Amino acid sequence: MRKEELGESPVVITQDGSVGLVETRYYNFADPPDRFVLENGRELGPITVAYETYGELNKARDNVILIEHALTASSHAAGKNSPEDKNPGWWDVMIGPGKAVDTDKYFVICSNILGSCYGTTGPSSVNPETGKPYGASFPIVSIRDIVRVQYQLLKHLGIDNIRGIVGGSMGGMQAIEWALEYPDMVDSLLLIATAAKSSPQSIAIHKVGIQAIMDDPNWNSGNYYGSDIPEKGLSIARMLGHITYLSDGWLWEKFGRKQDDPVEIKSNLNSKFEIEKYLEYQGSKFVQRFDANSYIYIMRTLDLYDAGEGYPNLIESFKRIKTKKVLVVSYSSDWLYPSYQSHELAEALEANNIDVSYNEIDAPYGHDSFLIDYKKLNPLINSFLNSL
Amino acid sequence: MRKEELGESPVVITQDGSVGLVETRYYNFADPPDRFVLENGRELGPITVAYETYGELNKARDNVILIEHALTASSHAAGKNSPEDKNPGWWDVMIGPGKAVDTDKYFVICSNILGSCYGTTGPSSVNPETGKPYGASFPIVSIRDIVRVQYQLLKHLGIDNIRGIVGGSMGGMQAIEWALEYPDMVDSLLLIATAAKSSPQSIAIHKVGIQAIMDDPNWNSGNYYGSDIPEKGLSIARMLGHITYLSDGWLWEKFGRKQDDPVEIKSNLNSKFEIEKYLEYQGSKFVQRFDANSYIYIMRTLDLYDAGEGYPNLIESFKRIKTKKVLVVSYSSDWLYPSYQSHELAEALEANNIDVSYNEIDAPYGHDSFLIDYKKLNPLINSFLNSL
């Protein structure tokens, strides 16, 4: 297994270039009676997919890069949707003219995953059969289902070859599944802070979050649309999630034991440590932007993922892959998707004679390093894409 | 810093000897108007302390071993309270005739901590001023307060010298605080899987648990006694706590990705992974035995602990310690009280010319190793106590 050789790259990577104003578009398919059959046999339709594209598709239609998002992100990966937007898309540091995923060269597509709440069909969408939101009657969807919906989008866009699929965390699982499900379409994978299957520890953490949402009286068996949302339960789930995205070391560095008031905190349960206020802030921000049922469903989608399922082991499963080159990146302080999981992944790929570059980046920020520490990640991605 | 030399111990340690039937006793003090003044200035009284003793106090009154319990344990550390008891005390593998803490030699005392719910005064105790349980009007107590209450008990028992104080996790913090607060009384400390201060990560985890309890409508600002208890919130808090007591590696080994039904789980949100059912079981067991307010208060007591508080650093703070010998033990897989915290502790002790033996035990069970992996811990404790 090799490490990505950075050497003296002839390309200067910028972090400044922006794709500018972008519009989220929507593709509808699977209209009844031709509904979409899910991995578990249930049928769903119609389905809407929200997506954005950056850069231009070349004539040969062979410059496509697919961006796969993680648990709570959206199709809005780069640029701004309106001039008033305060923040650009969630991976704007990575995608743009002259950036690691260079939109002067590539046609970049990012779509919102099935089950989410940013324009793609999910539990908060209206079930045409009842005229009401699906809620907890929404079917459980798998990573494979998510990928098969993306395939429908690409078919609609007239694309049958993908130069590279870039995915961090849950996005990496989608990239793996693309290579397993559509082996002839995928030239390369860029798998960042991800795993071939969810660990029991991550399932356990999701369990606590799911239970907190379901125990919130406002959850009401998933039927809270149009009334008070289960914001307390959702906030608990998010606070816990947030702890797992960071690291012990980074929490020491960023918050330590800083407190509101060292005297007051000894006698008043409402006086807080700074880390507590930070978590409260993260929780309250999240409940304003994300649907509780989507959070439950997507955590479950993650729990259920196992790229080796149905095969004696991961190596056997990966025999289906025809992708020639894979970049695997993990982070030293990531304890949610620890490096050993990336290493297992890289080894199973290499055992199938795939050209794998495995790189562990030393970064203190935990799992979220892949969104934060782009200065170390960008050169790896740029170098890998240039080598294709 | 040395490692405990086990060599060829002349003593055969058993794990079978039992102290037999033991009775929990109660000591009452701080009757108004002579109430107990807490570290934060608030007054409390009367105070009851539940305690058990094993073995016999010798004539010189110098064979006392103090056992300090962790978050949710009790004074019932060894033996059985009645012949019908299914399980012995929480550290029965460690304490008894011929065991690591040998009750043929030592007079062993374990008391329930202030703020708990196993006989010692806590939030569920009746406030004599109102005739009702304290609930959330109970004062926040510190590790120092807990230790000062234990001091009152020892004074009552006529004891002014302690051969050794053994504490795991939060129990270790009490042991440290004993040596700081009553330096002339403590001959040795045995600090297991503990830390000189709570990390921001552990504070963050407690925050999620405390919030889950307080968000449960049954919590009712702490006034739930006599009506429905906040068992959903308490169960969430306990499930999360339980995850932090174990380890990623151990969860793989014990549960892996085992499921109720590999087909059903793909389409039914009520179908579960085994790790989820295990957590549910732990949660439901816990709500039957522990008071939600006590859990909130004791987590807060832990959060607030910093043995270096009021001093430029831990080394300066430890200048108060006169204890001559200290055993420090950590576990390789403990991510709640990671080895670096034990190492910091050992270094600060050694910088004060205290004879420190630091041992990291390789065990897979995470923080709970100190309760599980006694076969590795017992010889260290036995050897250390024999060397005094």
Side-chain angles (χ1 to χ4, degrees), chain A residues 105-157:
Chain A
K105 289 184 189 172
Y106 302 112
F107 181 60
V108 180
I109 306 169
C110 182
S111 65
N112 186 217
I113 62 175
L114 187 66
S116 183
C117 53
Y118 288 120
T120 294
T121 302
S124 59
S125 303
V126 170
N127 179 351
E129 283 179 14
T130 64
K132 293 178 185 169
Y134 286 99
S137 75
F138 195 74
I140 293 179
V141 303
S142 68
I143 296 283
R144 188 177 303 165
D145 295 327
I146 287 172
V147 162
R148 290 177 56 236
V149 164
Q150 292 172 6
Y151 171 79
Q152 294 299 323
L153 171 65
L154 264 63
K155 220 168 64 169
H156 162 70
L157 296 174

Side-chain angles (χ1 to χ4, degrees), chain B residues 186-374:
Chain B
V186 184
D187 291 351
S188 74
L189 303 174
L190 297 86
L191 310 175
I192 302 153
T194 192
K197 57 187 171 193
S198 287
S199 71
Q201 184 167 278
S202 73
I203 294 168
I205 289 161
H206 288 167
K207 165 67 181 173
V208 176
I210 291 171
Q211 196 69 53
I213 296 169
M214 289 184 166
D215 283 350
D216 187 322
N218 287 348
W219 185 63
N220 188 30
S221 303
N223 301 313
Y224 51 79
Y225 301 104
S227 56
D228 290 338
I229 64 168
E231 63 179 28
K232 287 183 175 173
L234 184 57
S235 175
I236 294 282
R238 181 58 170 186
M239 289 197 295
L240 174 54
H242 213 82
I243 296 170
T244 69
Y245 305 150
L246 302 174
S247 75
D248 182 46
W250 183 238
L251 292 177
W252 272 115
E253 199 169 323
K254 189 165 176 180
F255 301 102
R257 295 180 44 81
K258 275 179 266 174
Q259 302 154 14
D260 271 356
D261 178 333
V263 174
E264 183 72 5
I265 202 168
K266 289 188 178 180
S267 58
N268 183 347
L269 282 177
N270 295 318
S271 187
K272 308 240 167 84
F273 287 87
E274 281 196 12
I275 175 64
E276 297 180 287
K277 292 200 286 184
Y278 174 76
L279 291 178
E280 282 179 0
Y281 169 74
Q282 292 295 339
S284 66
K285 240 184 26 174
F286 188 65
V287 301
Q288 289 164 26
R289 77 168 178 89
F290 210 79
D291 176 56
N293 283 329
S294 278
Y295 203 51
I296 291 174
Y297 274 84
I298 301 175
M299 284 196 273
R300 207 54 174 168
T301 299
L302 269 165
D303 293 347
L304 292 169
Y305 191 61
D306 180 355
E309 197 185 52
Y311 292 82
N313 55 49
L314 198 59
I315 295 175
E316 288 297 315
S317 171
F318 280 3
K319 286 204 192 311
R320 292 175 283 169
I321 296 178
K322 294 184 183 170
T323 302
K324 294 278 175 277
K325 288 194 76 167
V326 181
L327 173 68
V328 177
V329 177
S330 70
Y331 290 91
S332 56
S333 59
D334 185 351
W335 59 279
L336 188 61
Y337 289 85
S339 286
Y340 75 81
Q341 291 196 294
S342 283
H343 198 256
E344 275 173 13
L345 188 53
E347 282 194 324
L349 291 164
E350 193 165 56
N352 282 289
N353 298 314
I354 296 164
D355 175 8
V356 181
S357 168
Y358 172 60
N359 302 260
E360 187 190 61
I361 295 180
D362 190 30
Y365 317 106
H367 183 59
D368 264 0
S369 295
F370 86 92
L371 295 168
I372 299 170
D373 202 30
Y374 56 85

